[in-house]
Structure formats: C-alpha cells, structure tokens
Amino acid sequence: MRRLKWLVLAKNGYLLRTSSFGRMRYAVPFLIGVPIVVAVFVIIPWIADFFLDELEVFFLSSAAVTFIQIILFTIFILFLTFPISFSLNSGQEEHYEVLLSAPLKPKDVILGKFVGDMPFYSVAVVVASSLFVALLLPLGLGLVQAVMIMGIFLLTFFSALWIGVLLAAMIRSKIGSSARGKDLGKALSMTVALPMVGLMYAIMSGMVYSALLDSGSKGPLAFALDLLPSSWGADVIVSFALNPGGASGMSVEEPLRFVAMIIFFVGALWVGTKLADRAYSLESQSLSSNLARPEGQFYRTVRTVSGGGSFGSLVVSVFKDYGRRLENISKVVYIIGLMLLVTFFFGGAEDVGGGFIMLFFLLPFLSGFIVGEVTVRGKENLFIYRKAPRGEARLVRARIVQSMIVMIPLTVIASAISLTTVPGLGTGPALVMVLYMIALSASLIVFSLGLFLMFPVFSEKPADMMGNVIILSVFMMGCFFAAVLLSVYGEIAGWLLILTLTTVSGTIALFLGVRNLKTLE
Amino acid sequence: MSKTMISTKRLSKSYGKSGQVIALDKLTLDVYEGETFGLLGPNGAGKTTTVRLLNCIVKPTGGSATVGGYDLIENSIEIKRMTGLLAESPGLYEKLSAQEFLEFMGALYDVPSDILSVRVDKLLKLFGLHGRRNHLLEGYSRGMKQKVLIAAALIHDPPLLFFDEPTSTLDPSAALMVRDLMKDLSENVGKTIVVCSHILPIVEELCDRIGIINRGELVAVGTVDELMERTGKDTLEKAYIDITGGVQQKELLSWRELRSA
C-alpha cells in the first residue's frame, strides 16, 4: 500500500522540529495541551468571573467588534508573514531538491510543509482562542458557540498559514536557489517583517483602533478588513457574546459567516495545490555569477583609514565580504526602520534622556547584528585566521575597525533622528550628545565582539544570534537603571556611568572573547 | 640524511570533558626536509586532526612536536609562517572574488604587495582562473574553489605544505595538474609536502613514504614497497585494506536479503 506522501513529509517536519526533545517528542502535544486545558476550563473562567460586569459592558460596546477584528487580523497577518520570513531566511533548497528527486508530487511537498508546521504555530492560536472562550464562558456561552469560536480562530490561522506557506514557496522559486537568490531571500526575510512590526506598532499606539472606531463601517480601512475572513469571524464572536446560549439563539447570519470562512480556506487550499507545481519549480532563473566591482573610492578610503598595508587589505577584504551580503544590509535597514517606526508612533520626548531611551535599547541590536557576523561562516572560516601568524589578533582588530566604519555613521543618523523628538535642544548640547553616542557605540562594538567571541554563533539564523544580543540589551537596561539611580547626583553622572560601565565591561568581554577564540576547536 | 622537518613524540589529541573521544593517540613520526609524505586512513581516522595539530590550529592534549625545528606550543607563529595549508573543509569568503581572496590571504601572511600582485596573477593563470578572477567565489564550482584554495596555500611560498584531499573535487585534468605541481614543488624546489588523500594512485606516485592512521593510531609507516612487503600484497590498495580492515565480500549485498514485494 502506498503511503500518503504529504503525511510522511508532515511527520518528518514534526520530527525535525521536536528533535531536541529526544524520546519525549511524542509527549510534546500532551505537555503543551494539558496546561492549556487546565487554563481554559479552570483558571481563566475563575479569573473572568471576577470581571463579569466589565466583560458584559465591553461586549455591549461598539469597541468590541473593532477589538476582536484587530486581534484576528493580527493573527492572520502574523501567520501569513511568519512562514514567508522563515522560509526565505532558512533557504532550504537542498532539502527541496532531495524531495523533488523522490517520487512526490509538488502538492505533497507543500501540503506536507503546511501540515508539519501546523501543530507548532497552532499552539499560539489555540491559546488565544481558548482565552477568548474562557473569558466568554461566564457570560453563558453555549457549547456550539464555544466550538465555533475556536473554529473561527483556527480557520483564520489555517488560511493565513496556508497562504503564507504557498507565497513563501513561490517567492523562493522566483528568486532562485543561486547564492545571490539565497542572499536576497535572507535580506527579504528581515524586511518582510518590518511592515508587520509597523502594523503592530500602529495597533499598540491605538492608531488602527481609532481609525476603525472613527470611520465605523464606512472607512477604507474597515472596508479593507471586511474583505478578509478574520473580520467575518470577529462579527460572529461579538454576536455570540451578545446573545450567549445554545444553537437555538443563533441567527442565520453567524453560521453563514462561519461557512464562508470554511469555503475561503477550502478554496485557498484547492487553488494552492493547483499552483504547487509552479511554487516548487527549482529551475535556476539565471546562470550568471556576480562580478566583483573594481575597488572604488569607498574601499580606497577604508584602506587608508585602516592604516594601509597588510592590515588595510584585511579590513577591506572583511568589509567587502560584509557589505556584499544583502542580508547584512537588510539587518541594518531593519534596525533603522524600527527606530523610525518607534519615533513615528511613540515619538515625542520631554528631554534628552527621553529622546535617547529608545536608542539605548536599539544600539545593542545594531552592534550585535553588525558584529555578530564574525563567526557565522563557521569554525573553518575562523581557522583561516588561526592558521595565519597572529591571525586572531588581526581578525579582532579588522572586525573592530570594519564595525566602527559601519556603526558610527548609523549612530550619528539615529542620534539625529532621536534628537528631533526633543523640543528646544540647542546645537551645542546636541553635538555633545551625538559625540557621547558615538563613544557609546564604539564601546558597544567592543562589547559585542567580545560576547560573540566568547559565545560564538556558527549559524546564520537571526534567532541564534539573539542570545548575545539579549545579553547586551539586558546589560544596557541594567546600566540605564543604575544611571537613573545615580541621576540624583546630576544627569551627567548617569550618562558617564553608562559609558564607563559599557567600556569596562566591553574590554573585559573582549579579553575573554579573544582568549576563547585562541582555544576554540 | 636530510634534516627533520616534522618530528612528533607521542602527540595526542582528545576531545570531550574527560578526553573520551580520542582523535589522535600517541603519534610518533618524523618527516624529512624535501620529502613528500602521504597520510592515509579511513574517514575519521585522525588525519585531519594531525594536520590541524601540525598547523597549530588546535592544541595537543599530550606529547610534543616540532615543525621546522620550532616547538608546536612555544613557537606557533613561526610554524604558521612556514606552513601552507589546504584544509579538507576550508572556510571561504564567498563574497570575495578569487583575486580578492588571494590578496586577502597574502595580506594575512605579510606577502609584500609588489610580490603579491604578480604572484596572484600567475597563480590564477596557472589554475586557469584568470578569466574569472573577478567573479565572486559564491558562483564557483567546488573544483574551482579547490583551485583557489590550493593557490591560497601557496601564496606565501612556504617551505612546508599540507594538502588535505587536494584532488578530491577536481576534474581529471586539474587533478593531474595539481599532482604535477606537487611533484615539481618537491623535486625542483625542495618543498616538504604532507598529503592526505584517498586517491591511492596519486599517493603512490608522489609520496616517498606513507603513514597509515587508523582510529587515531599510526599503524604503519614506510615506502610503498615496504608496506606491500609487510602485508604480502601486490598493490598499495590491497596493503591499505589489509592494514585498516575492509568490508567482507559476503556483507556487500546482505542488505538485499529481505526484499519487499
């Protein structure tokens, strides 16, 4: 008997994702499921009982539909974006080539990926939907209604995930599996997330909420949202909250909307399987390879700034390998974009400290993403330096110079953007603050490099890099709070404390990092 | 008698917290100046670890060694300066062109810039890469990358060269060229060469002596004739299999015994 190939692939996906659990992998659904059931049927209803009056008032208000509409829309966009971003970043063409050389139909591959991914992404959706059901249970929600609410969340999620998986495959296929295609994919995976972050900020700042509430059902935003199945579900949920009870209390409209959601999902599934052949085409789009451009004024300047000679050549080589990766450029664009978004949605500071708070927390990310590249090409790449006389020291120096050349201009730009939010700041103090941020950036570069050499990351996955970036961010937070405490002695004392702590810790981290680099095997 | 270029005494390397994974076990070996020495052994036998140790890339956990008269622990910088290495799985800067990568490697080994530019040019021509010198390495085939890496190992013209699987990814004509290059380097310029390879005819033709490593231990060393004589076999291949233990003939197709319908 022939096996269902998509099921084989889905199982393989499950095994890959749960490999870290070892023999316990088959217990994973229970380990996740049991706490959810306890939370839904015991803990959340018990808590919700205390707020029954407030809940009733909320669901009777006009804000309820908007609120749920936004939540479901967020789920829809999140699960549509996530597979695209993940797939573009991971660049799994080699796996696909193995799959396509096996007796499989392309739709098996895409269905297998979808079903394999489903259990993991669905945890978040089940938690969200359970939370809703649990909150509504005290209002007297019937069993059919509860099941339909769970269904609405799951259908929203299934539709989004399926479209996301399909789009990811099509984009991957379009950009090809060449080295340039992989690089482009990684760059896109970062930038694809930026609009999503923008949307999240817009929701968090209340802009979307206000726009929907103000325009009612007539505004362009409301009209656009109404086209998506997430909004059809939101209306059903609010309707259930207003008329809790059994199936008898239901009007025709709710089941119709629910069926429309099912039709949307099944339709998307059908269209998707028809498109699968195109989605998984691995034919190379182009056989041309990239040429290295002749060294221009920029690299000549970098060579001179680095002191020329052999060391200048090293810095230029390191810089070329860094700068020619779109992925690296996209990380910088992402952080700067993030800064602009935060300034736009949450800007408006009372003083310099307020204006720079965001920068304090974004600079560790920026330095981490710039410096973290040092080990991602693997140990073999580091061994090139290990093999050369005093190679480790040269690597460290070259990386510091290269990172500073990237980071300092960005710091100046970021500082300037931050300072625009501070009213009435003179040129002199602004200049001092920019210089201060440059010094802080330099310290952070040293600190980041030390950290990434102490705890090297040998993979290009941004998630792996995040460990060191989080250490840096937590450190900066600690410094910031220490500075706040010290500010009783004046604001300048606080600023100086941050710089001193970062410089000292950075120097220690670099010393330990270099020691680790020399013994790394 | 030639000068000793490499001398190891009970050189060992183990990994893991309590050293439970022994990669190289008490290697005692001499390689002489101008000699081409072949290092053979099954996958995972310890050849690459030996090469990494002798290039000061990893540190030994036991024993001692000198390379070119320099102590492996005390004089690692001098040793690095006098050795060239083609690693088995080398790291490359894929976003550099071949020319840029060779210039980078030359800078790492402090090759004067006037010599470097001429040498890069000549090496690229020698390996037939001059026409694609400005293409990024990411677009190169495995064989082309291997040629760039061989050129990188030669860029500072070191007296001692290590080639770990130099011809494994090359087409036949490129493999012959590399073989002839190694021969020339040894016979005409007096370089000492250590070659790790599974391609026995090349080893047989090039190497003055051969060492066979199995499970971290040096189990045999000598000329091709000595190894064949010791095992009573008439080819190096048979002698090698005899020393390292091969797959039994009856096992080769045993996996087919249970056949599905």
Side-chain angles (χ1 to χ4, degrees), chain A residues 179 183 289-292 310 314 317 320-321 324 380-381 383-390 394 521, chain B residues 13 52 55 57 59 77 80 83 89 91-93 95 100 104 107-110 132 134-136 138:
Chain A
D183 188 25
S289 59
N290 294 320
L291 278 171
S310 291
L314 281 191
S317 300
K320 282 177 180 170
D321 191 64
R324 285 174 186 165
E380 308 300 338
N381 191 276
F383 285 170
I384 293 179
Y385 294 94
R386 175 78 66 79
K387 167 67 188 71
R390 295 193 183 87
R394 292 181 203 212
E521 289 184 0
Chain B
K13 178 69 187 174
R52 283 183 175 172
N55 280 278
I57 290 173
K59 287 195 169 69
I77 289 174
K80 286 173 181 181
T83 58
S89 47
L92 265 176
Y93 278 112
K95 290 286 178 187
E100 288 170 343
F104 160 71
L108 266 183
Y109 288 87
D110 299 311
R132 295 194 67 179
N134 290 323
H135 288 243
L136 299 189
E138 63 182 16

Side-chain angles (χ1 to χ4, degrees), chain A residues 80-90 168 185 188-190 192-193:
Chain A
L80 190 130
T81 319
F82 197 71
I84 299 175
S85 184
F86 183 75
S87 165
L88 288 174
N89 185 52
S90 60
L188 280 174
S189 77
M190 289 294 285
V192 156

Side-chain angles (χ1 to χ4, degrees), chain A residues 33-243:
Chain A
V34 171
I36 291 175
V37 169
V38 172
V40 171
F41 291 103
V42 183
I43 300 169
I44 301 172
W46 179 70
I47 296 170
D49 226 19
F50 292 107
F51 305 101
L52 200 56
D53 293 341
E54 287 81 358
L55 274 173
E56 273 176 336
V57 169
F58 173 74
F59 281 106
L60 285 169
S61 72
S62 58
V65 179
T66 306
F67 178 72
I68 297 170
Q69 209 173 14
I70 289 171
I71 286 182
L72 284 172
F73 176 64
T74 308
I75 289 176
F76 189 81
I77 293 295
L78 191 71
F79 288 105
L80 190 130
T81 319
F82 197 71
I84 299 175
S85 184
F86 183 75
S87 165
L88 288 174
N89 185 52
S90 60
Q92 299 166 321
E93 305 75 26
E94 293 84 359
H95 298 175
Y96 291 155
E97 212 156 84
V98 169
L99 295 179
L100 289 182
S101 63
L104 295 169
K105 289 177 185 165
K107 72 175 179 187
D108 292 326
V109 180
I110 200 165
L111 258 177
K113 169 103 184 100
F114 169 62
V115 178
D117 281 354
M118 203 188 278
F120 302 95
Y121 294 137
S122 64
V123 171
V125 180
V126 169
V127 170
S129 58
S130 307
L131 186 72
F132 257 87
V133 170
L135 282 171
L136 296 174
L137 278 176
L139 294 174
L141 202 70
L143 182 67
V144 178
Q145 289 176 324
V147 170
M148 279 177 75
I149 289 175
M150 298 280 276
I152 286 164
F153 272 87
L154 285 172
L155 280 170
T156 306
F157 154 68
F158 287 158
S159 305
L161 184 65
W162 173 249
I163 295 169
V165 166
L166 191 67
L167 283 177
M170 292 178 91
I171 295 170
R172 261 255 151 260
S173 172
K174 198 75 192 161
I175 60 176
S177 55
S178 63
R180 187 172 171 75
K182 284 179 192 171
D183 188 25
L184 186 60
K186 283 179 179 163
L188 280 174
S189 77
M190 289 294 285
T191 37
V192 156
L194 209 51
M196 178 66 208
V197 175
L199 177 75
M200 297 294 286
Y201 286 170
I203 292 169
M204 282 159 66
S205 68
M207 277 191 188
V208 173
Y209 191 70
S210 308
L212 283 171
L213 268 185
D214 292 347
S215 62
S217 57
K218 300 214 164 45
L221 186 62
F223 177 74
L225 285 182
D226 275 344
L227 295 176
L228 296 171
S230 53
S231 296
W232 313 339
D235 290 339
V236 177
I237 294 174
V238 174
S239 170
F240 286 168
L242 293 172
N243 307 292

Side-chain angles (χ1 to χ4, degrees), chain B residues 157-214:
Chain B
D157 196 20
L160 173 59
L161 285 154
F162 291 86
F163 291 111
D164 199 351
E165 296 295 350
T167 56
S168 59
T169 56
L170 299 180
D171 62 69
S173 62
L176 277 179
M177 191 274 277
V178 169
R179 184 201 64 184
D180 291 343
L181 174 69
M182 286 196 280
K183 210 168 176 178
D184 258 12
L185 286 167
S186 170
E187 289 173 2
N188 300 329
V189 202
K191 304 279 184 197
T192 309
I193 299 175
V194 177
V195 192
C196 301
S197 179
H198 292 294
I199 301 169
L200 298 184
I202 287 184
V203 175
E204 194 169 352
E205 189 182 340
L206 283 178
C207 297
D208 302 306
R209 283 189 309 140
I210 291 166
I212 298 177
I213 295 184
N214 195 18

Side-chain angles (χ1 to χ4, degrees), chain A residues 281-322:
Chain A
S281 161
L282 275 171
E283 277 178 44
S284 184
Q285 302 296 313
S286 161
L287 281 173
S288 65
S289 59
N290 294 320
L291 278 171
R293 286 183 194 162
E295 220 166 83
Q297 189 56 45
F298 176 73
Y299 285 121
R300 282 201 288 275
T301 310
V302 169
R303 196 183 290 275
T304 311
V305 167
S306 318
S310 291
F311 184 67
S313 296
L314 281 191
V315 175
V316 167
S317 300
V318 168
F319 212 121
K320 282 177 180 170
D321 191 64
Y322 174 87

